Amino acid sequence: MEKSLPPLAPGTLYLVATPIGNLEDITLRALRTLRECDVVAAEDTRRTGQLLKHFEISKPMLSYFQFNEAKRSEQIIERLKGGEKVALVTDAGTPGISDPGERVVRAAVAAGLRVESVPGPCALIAALTASGLPTDEFHFIGFLPHKSGQRRNQLVALKEFAGTLALYESPYRIEKLLGELNEVFPDRTIVLARELTKKFEEFLRGKPAELLALVAKRSLKGEFVVLVSGEVELPAENADDAGGTH
Ligand code: SAM
């Protein structure tokens, strides 16, 4: 373990992971980076402003989101070249994972600038590790496209994959997704990881048809990570989990 705490390095882009629901899930290093950086580039300055306020951090912010990513990336690169320490924060979790970040990281790397990860919460990893499904080999899809044909094609293309599949899905499309999984993967075990790290966190496990029946009885709200067991049969102890929750 590092005992000494070196100051932040000038001209470095810090990717700072923030809580996905539970404000206790922020690392000491994330807080120090937010305190000591020159500027916070935020996906949503209002939302990040609330987080900073909660931790009594006052810092200049600039907005960095999907639709101004190109322009903002250039500005961030100029600031980094000028020796500033920039912390990039998204609304929740790890920047760059189904969130803005990739473009500015690529630009910084191409410009020979330093990029550091300040690791922390990520819904994908929280869901996968507690799912009971194999973690040694997995394929992260993020969000499927909106168009039905494209969604189906992408799922069908992954039928042969032996590892666990992981998707992000909005609460408005969770039933639609379960219907699609029922068509493409009727015999696989599905794990819905709902509201991770929050008061109503739960893991719902079962075949797609079992989960569809559950959704028909009880409308499921909140945020979801959806996991699909791999092509290979799961060991017997997992088979008993079908339909279970916690
Ligand atoms: N960068 C984030 C991360 O590291 O997980 C993900 C951002 S993405 C825009 C948001 C999606 O992540 C949600 O639609 C949901 O699928 C998933 N997600 C985020 N927080 C979650 C939570 N607390 N419980 C379950 N899923 C969550």
Side-chain angles (χ1 to χ4, degrees):
M1 275 294 186
E2 284 278 341
K3 281 208 182 115
S4 61
L5 295 171
L8 300 192
T12 301
L13 176 66
Y14 292 89
L15 305 175
V16 181
T18 56
I20 56 168
N22 185 331
L23 284 172
E24 284 183 312
D25 293 335
I26 190 150
T27 69
L28 297 174
R29 186 163 163 238
L31 290 176
R32 187 166 72 88
T33 305
L34 293 171
R35 266 190 213 106
E36 293 181 10
C37 67
D38 295 301
V39 63
V40 176
E43 182 182 7
D44 176 344
T45 51
R46 201 181 56 86
R47 201 155 156 182
T48 299
Q50 287 166 353
L51 182 82
L52 296 183
K53 191 163 172 231
H54 178 86
F55 291 107
E56 297 178 350
I57 297 170
S58 164
K59 200 52 67 176
M61 280 190 281
L62 58 90
S63 90
Y64 174 82
F65 62 93
Q66 224 179 343
F67 305 106
N68 71 4
E69 223 175 318
K71 192 161 142 248
R72 285 296 198 213
S73 284
E74 283 170 29
Q75 291 170 356
I76 291 172
I77 298 300
E78 284 316 304
R79 281 172 179 260
L80 291 167
K81 283 183 176 164
E84 288 191 34
K85 296 154 273 181
V86 180
L88 179 70
V89 171
T90 55
D91 288 354
T94 300
I97 300 297
S98 294
D99 260 350
E102 200 182 305
R103 184 191 288 255
V104 68
V105 169
R106 218 178 309 126
V109 169
L113 294 159
R114 192 176 163 81
V115 181
E116 272 188 40
S117 189
V118 181
C122 178
L124 158 69
I125 300 301
L128 179 68
T129 48
S131 69
L133 298 179
T135 58
D136 55 345
E137 197 183 353
F138 66 90
H139 181 94
F140 177 57
I141 299 156
F143 291 98
L144 285 174
H146 285 188
K147 290 197 178 141
S148 298
Q150 291 175 0
R151 291 166 69 86
R152 210 191 129 83
N153 289 346
Q154 198 167 340
L155 292 174
V156 169
L158 290 161
K159 263 179 110 167
E160 309 295 314
F161 181 67
T164 301
L165 301 176
L167 302 100
Y168 284 165
E169 190 51 284
S170 106
Y172 310 107
R173 273 185 293 275
I174 199 74
E175 201 170 343
K176 175 179 164 86
L177 177 62
L178 285 173
E180 291 159 338
L181 293 176
N182 193 34
E183 279 179 38
V184 183
F185 302 108
D187 301 321
R188 306 279 183 93
T189 297
I190 308 296
V191 179
L192 297 183
R194 188 174 88 87
E195 293 287 84
L196 290 161
T197 78
K198 303 184 198 176
K199 190 171 170 191
F200 297 109
E201 169 172 321
E202 66 180 342
F203 286 81
L204 301 157
R205 300 177 171 90
K207 302 287 179 229
E210 291 170 318
L211 293 173
L212 272 171
L214 190 118
V215 171
K217 275 191 268 164
R218 186 190 142 194
S219 85
L220 293 180
K221 298 200 176 78
E223 296 193 280
F224 292 90
V225 181
V226 181
L227 301 146
V228 182
S229 70
E231 227 256 301
V232 178
E233 248 329 274
L234 290 175
E237 67 259 28
N238 289 339
D240 291 342
D241 281 350
T245 70
H246 91 193

